[in-house]
Amino acid sequence: MGSRSPSIAAIGVIGRHNNPLHIALFPATGEGHEQQRDKLEYSFMLNSSLDIFEARMPSKTVGHDFGLLHALDERLALYGWLTNSGVKLVIAVDMEGRTAPTPEAGKTAILGLRNSDLAPAFQALQTAYIRLLRNPFYIPDEHNPQATKGSGLLAITSTRFLNEVDRIGKAWHPGVTVI
Amino acid sequence: MSRPTQTQQPPPPDDDPLNPKAAASALDFLLMELVPLAQRLTEQLLAREQALLEEYRRSRGFDWRAAKTVGVGYQKEQQGVRDGSGDGNGEQGVVVSADGSAAVVATGGRGGGGGGGGGGDVGAVVEGSGITSLGFPVMSEQTRESVFWRLDGMGYRVGQGLVERFSVNKPRPTTPLDAIKFVCKHLWILVFRKQIDNLKTNHRGVFVLTDNRFQPLSRMSVDRRTGIKGAEEALARAQTFLYFPGGVIRGALAGLGVEVTVEASSTEIPTATFQIKTKGAKP
């Protein structure tokens, strides 16, 4: 029964018109603590984070990193990042998501995360999104609810992007510098 | 008595793929080829549509009334394309406007269906290209509008992708003016290897970008022996090459969240002017 350390619980990619492009969930791991994430619950959480983006938008003119958006309870916290084109990346972190690999890591759950801990994850996500845009089969306007007038699926379906998001979510741990 | 260290490496050989000249030349040639490509596409699609219509008219036992409505509908579309106005038939796109709709997709669908049937006889009235008095091929009015629309659509997607990729570490533009400044400075350098020379605005949503030596127009030749007529004709032919960059601007600004219409024009080669109007602007 080791101590626990933070891991990513969910990653959300939300388009400029507040349309969800992709939501990825990562279950908690470790002995006796396995827990599946509830999709509906996390959808609500990501939705509520949009309000925080809007509220902070006028005062935040410099920088993309919105840092800690909201700490829901002792376990869950939401961090956000806004790209230049209006795409929002939201990461929900579970402070007790995995077994601590080392005793020092276990202490992070008590001490808390810094904003800069999540920057590598956001950078990697942004790189993955840009790579998706360089795919000729991905047309941004098709995923824009205003442009397509609500016909068809609006979420991202590119396997490469989905796998990359998965990899980022699983590979992150506090203190990692490049994913 | 040591030799001073070499601070500059010798330039890479010309056929080294890492030589930036190779990439720049390739981009220039590609941009040049886009215009004839759009032209060929449009002409072929129109030809197929004409053939299909001919086939339909000639097939036995068909309803004259239906033919009339189809004919009228077809005429209306052509009218819409020629006027460049989005009329009641909402699917036709305006020549250079913010809403790039799926008009050409609709035309393409019909053309594709008739390709098999009407392949043989293209005796229909295809308003094909004529020849100007100086001997250069010119497109018909109808083809012209479609070609412009198509080029603009291509530029739009390119602009969106470009702005996403290259605005990564730059500060976020908060006003339309900031977004246009980003386009003037960074995007222009990336695509055309120079900055825009002049940016004017009336602070009410209209911006005018002037480039005194616009890269695609910089290598065009004008036959001065023919006088004014030659210059005008060169201008008309150069106009086609301005639509793709116009689309790139529109796409880039759309990527940054600013909906605009872009009008590209040139009064003298190689100067080019782009007039950008945000939605709801007062001239």
Side-chain angles (χ1 to χ4, degrees):
Chain A
M1 178 96 165
S3 52
R4 313 281 293 162
S5 77
S7 78
I8 292 186
I11 293 183
V13 179
I14 302 172
R16 177 201 320 216
H17 302 272
N18 290 342
N19 48 321
L21 291 172
H22 181 54
I23 301 179
L25 301 171
F26 301 92
T29 55
E31 312 287 316
H33 291 264
E34 260 122 55
Q35 186 192 47
Q36 281 301 329
R37 310 284 180 194
D38 183 8
K39 181 137 190 178
L40 191 61
E41 183 188 343
Y42 280 87
S43 296
F44 281 149
M45 270 191 245
L46 292 176
N47 229 317
S48 62
S49 66
L50 291 177
D51 287 330
I52 309 183
F53 270 109
E54 265 195 53
R56 288 206 207 157
M57 193 85 80
S59 57
K60 188 154 174 69
T61 46
V62 174
H64 308 105
D65 195 353
F66 274 62
L68 175 66
L69 296 174
H70 188 52
L72 289 168
D73 51 20
E74 324 174 311
R75 271 189 78 163
L76 282 179
L78 295 172
Y79 293 81
W81 179 287
L82 177 69
T83 65
N84 267 336
S85 55
V87 171
K88 307 174 192 54
L89 308 169
V90 182
I91 295 188
V93 175
D94 180 356
M95 297 308 267
E96 291 170 16
R98 63 158 73 102
T99 13
T102 62
E104 293 90 32
K107 296 212 192 76
T108 333
I110 312 170
L111 292 173
L113 286 178
R114 285 171 304 220
N115 279 349
S116 53
D117 281 338
L118 274 166
F122 282 122
Q123 306 267 16
L125 274 176
Q126 192 167 23
T127 315
Y129 182 71
I130 291 177
R131 184 176 283 161
L132 174 68
L133 270 184
R134 296 170 74 178
N135 178 357
F137 297 139
Y138 176 75
I139 305 173
D141 272 350
E142 269 179 12
H143 300 260
N144 178 355
Q146 289 177 356
T148 57
K149 316 236 182 331
S151 63
L153 203 60
L154 292 178
I156 296 179
T157 49
S158 157
T159 349
R160 194 180 221 176
F161 181 73
L162 301 187
N163 289 343
E164 180 69 14
V165 171
D166 242 8
R167 187 187 71 88
I168 294 173
K170 296 199 174 101
W172 179 83
H173 60 89
V176 66
T177 41
V178 69
I179 298 187
Chain B
M1 219 68 77
S2 56
R3 274 187 21 209
T5 46
Q6 249 180 328
T7 45
Q8 256 191 350
Q9 289 173 338
D14 265 344
D15 49 358
D16 183 2
L18 291 178
N19 185 348
K21 280 193 190 165
S25 310
L27 179 63
D28 288 345
F29 286 131
L30 250 167
L31 287 185
M32 276 175 8
E33 179 56 25
L34 270 182
V35 173
L37 173 72
Q39 220 171 312
R40 283 196 296 268
L41 271 175
T42 314
E43 278 168 6
Q44 280 180 12
L45 281 176
L46 279 180
R48 272 209 198 139
E49 213 181 325
Q50 300 273 5
L52 173 61
L53 220 58
E54 269 307 305
E55 186 73 25
Y56 189 60
R57 277 201 206 106
R58 261 191 255 131
S59 70
R60 290 148 145 262
F62 78 113
D63 200 324
W64 280 102
R65 260 172 300 147
K68 280 234 180 61
T69 42
V70 166
V72 164
Y74 183 74
Q75 286 306 316
K76 254 178 78 179
E77 281 162 25
Q78 301 308 319
Q79 196 65 27
V81 170
R82 223 178 280 125
D83 294 340
S85 66
D87 51 6
N89 186 4
E91 289 193 336
Q92 289 297 324
V94 185
V95 170
V96 268
S97 81
D99 47 319
S101 56
V104 184
V105 174
T107 333
R110 251 176 286 127
D121 191 356
V122 195
V125 184
V126 175
E127 299 173 36
S129 6
I131 306 275
T132 66
S133 54
L134 293 174
F136 295 116
V138 81
M139 300 182 276
S140 70
E141 200 46 47
Q142 176 184 336
T143 326
R144 245 175 121 78
E145 305 280 321
S146 306
V147 167
F148 294 163
W149 186 90
R150 189 180 283 278
L151 282 172
D152 186 77
M154 288 187 203
Y156 182 77
R157 174 74 177 88
V158 170
Q160 277 184 327
L162 274 179
V163 80
E164 186 77 54
R165 170 114 164 65
F166 289 110
S167 66
V168 175
N169 295 322
K170 311 269 187 329
R172 187 160 43 94
T174 37
T175 64
L177 182 61
D178 280 343
I180 295 199
K181 278 200 229 169
F182 171 81
V183 165
C184 290
K185 287 201 277 218
H186 299 114
L187 204 69
W188 224 251
I189 287 192
L190 286 171
V191 185
F192 301 116
R193 302 191 294 281
K194 69 183 284 281
Q195 280 196 3
I196 286 213
D197 295 313
N198 205 336
L199 164 63
K200 295 197 272 268
T201 170
N202 75 348
H203 291 292
R204 267 185 294 246
V206 181
F207 302 87
V208 178
L209 271 61
T210 317
D211 191 338
N212 289 330
R213 195 164 183 278
F214 190 48
Q215 208 275 332
L217 301 183
S218 63
R219 300 251 175 253
M220 286 187 182
S221 58
V222 178
D223 204 352
R224 300 248 174 240
R225 290 173 300 170
T226 52
I228 298 289
K229 195 122 183 288
E232 275 176 12
E233 195 165 306
L235 268 185
R237 292 164 66 212
Q239 178 77 10
T240 336
F241 288 86
L242 292 176
Y243 281 92
F244 183 79
V248 171
I249 297 182
R250 184 164 74 85
L253 289 174
L256 292 171
V258 185
E259 291 269 331
V260 296
T261 53
V262 177
E263 249 179 62
S265 62
S266 166
T267 45
E268 186 198 338
I269 295 184
T271 318
T273 320
F274 296 91
Q275 218 188 39
I276 304 181
K277 289 199 182 75
T278 53
K279 268 209 174 122
K282 313 214 180 354

